[in-house]
Amino acid sequence: MSLLAVILLAVALSLDAFAVAVASGCALRPIRREHYARIGGAFGFFQFFMPVLGWLLGQSVHRYIAAWDHWVAFALLAWVGGNMLRGAWKDFHHHGGEAAPMENAAASLSWGTLLVLAVATSIDALAVGLTLAMTDTPILRPAVIIGLTCAAISAAGLHLGRVLAGMAVLQRWAGLAGGLALLAIGFRVLWQDGVFG
């Protein structure tokens, strides 16, 4: 996987965490330096750890599905991307101006709350790690890039939340962008394996 593809993947996976960080920035008063370290560290660590875990799981089952692994990779990415798009679409139609549940949860940055939010926003990365194992992609570099990217994007989202109104609109567009990016990467996997000729 090229460096550009890894960076795009890292950004796509970080968008849920970014939306939660923006929500936290809108809800927290005042925001201190430790909040940036907490949210960046927690989200970044789990975005690093989950792909590694998924990759290790994928290594154990890869030999059984080698003949059709590219379709499994596509299905996983399409599932993750589709869920992101569906969630964004529901937000557009159902929440209106009210805060979504994740936004309400983001009002607190206790370690317990951060753990729940970090795990919830990194489940997609577990599936991506499984996908990378099935395409024989080494995991260390992508996992480090994903983790560092998420840490930086989360910290930036927290800051952005301090100064931006319209948080709900921002979160929905982030979900749409992330879902489309993951679907594009899934189609690229099929193209690289010659599915499209």
Side-chain angles (χ1 to χ4, degrees):
M1 180 178 285
S2 69
L3 179 60
L4 178 59
V6 173
I7 292 173
L8 290 174
L9 179 61
V11 171
L13 289 173
S14 300
L15 290 178
D16 280 350
F18 173 76
V20 172
V22 171
S24 298
C26 290
L28 280 172
R29 292 293 181 274
I31 295 178
R32 298 184 294 272
R33 289 183 180 178
E34 68 182 74
H35 290 136
Y36 292 100
R38 282 187 182 188
I39 203 164
F43 286 7
F45 171 76
F46 277 95
Q47 288 285 354
F48 162 79
F49 174 73
M50 287 296 204
V52 173
L53 179 60
W55 189 86
L56 291 173
L57 293 173
Q59 287 294 304
S60 65
V61 301
H62 181 261
R63 63 181 179 273
Y64 300 111
I65 57 174
W68 37 277
D69 56 0
H70 53 283
W71 285 108
V72 174
F74 172 76
L76 287 170
L77 287 168
W79 177 70
V80 171
N83 282 340
M84 292 177 71
L85 290 173
R86 187 171 67 249
W89 181 260
K90 286 182 178 178
D91 281 341
F92 272 121
H93 291 282
H94 296 298
H95 290 304
E98 299 178 358
M102 188 71 81
E103 293 167 352
N104 292 326
S108 168
L109 273 189
S110 67
W111 284 113
T113 299
L114 270 179
L115 177 63
V116 171
L117 292 175
V119 172
T121 56
S122 62
I123 295 297
D124 295 349
L126 180 72
V128 169
L130 182 60
T131 299
L132 294 178
M134 293 177 182
T135 55
D136 291 321
T137 302
I139 191 58
L140 184 58
R141 186 181 74 158
V144 169
I145 292 173
I146 290 168
L148 291 176
T149 300
C150 184
I153 287 179
S154 299
L158 187 64
H159 178 71
L160 192 60
R162 297 176 62 183
V163 296
L164 283 184
M167 171 182 59
V169 172
L170 182 62
Q171 181 176 359
R172 291 159 198 167
W173 282 111
L176 286 172
L180 290 173
L182 291 179
L183 287 173
I185 292 170
F187 279 109
R188 187 171 183 271
V189 168
L190 293 182
W191 178 74
Q192 286 180 326
D193 273 22
V195 172
F196 302 118

